[in-house]
Amino acid sequence: MNIEQVADYISLSKHTVYGLVHKREIPHFKKGKRLYFDKESINEWLREGRVITKKEMEDKVDEYLFKNPLI
């Protein structure tokens, strides 16, 4: 995907995508002066930003406490 395609795909402006690239916050490839984006990498990046549910958080706490007893 090129810059226009990824900006449209994730509903952000090209300017915002360039900012994410500059801050190295979005996965990308650079060949010469051109930027490219792998759709699956973008999907994974989007999933990583998912907010977990209260139930998922409680499960993680329980798992941690089970593996690391306080006493």
Side-chain angles (χ1 to χ4, degrees):
M1 298 170 69
N2 62 32
I3 189 81
E4 291 85 8
Q5 292 167 325
V6 78
D8 185 53
Y9 182 67
I10 61 176
S11 301
L12 295 175
S13 70
K14 283 180 16 180
H15 179 76
T16 301
V17 175
Y18 278 122
L20 293 170
V21 167
H22 178 73
K23 293 186 277 184
R24 296 181 177 266
E25 292 183 5
I26 189 170
H28 65 281
F29 302 94
K30 189 168 183 181
K31 186 75 170 177
K33 293 185 178 185
R34 298 199 179 252
L35 291 171
Y36 299 96
F37 303 85
D38 175 63
K39 190 173 185 177
E40 185 53 41
S41 295
I42 297 299
N43 288 335
E44 184 178 327
W45 175 74
L46 290 169
R47 282 190 295 272
E48 287 173 356
R50 183 177 84 79
V51 176
I52 64 173
T53 65
K54 183 177 177 181
K55 173 78 168 105
E56 290 170 326
M57 178 63 78
E58 290 170 351
D59 291 346
K60 284 186 177 196
V61 169
D62 290 343
E63 181 182 340
Y64 177 81
L65 291 175
F66 181 75
K67 290 180 180 178
N68 303 291
L70 298 174
I71 298 176

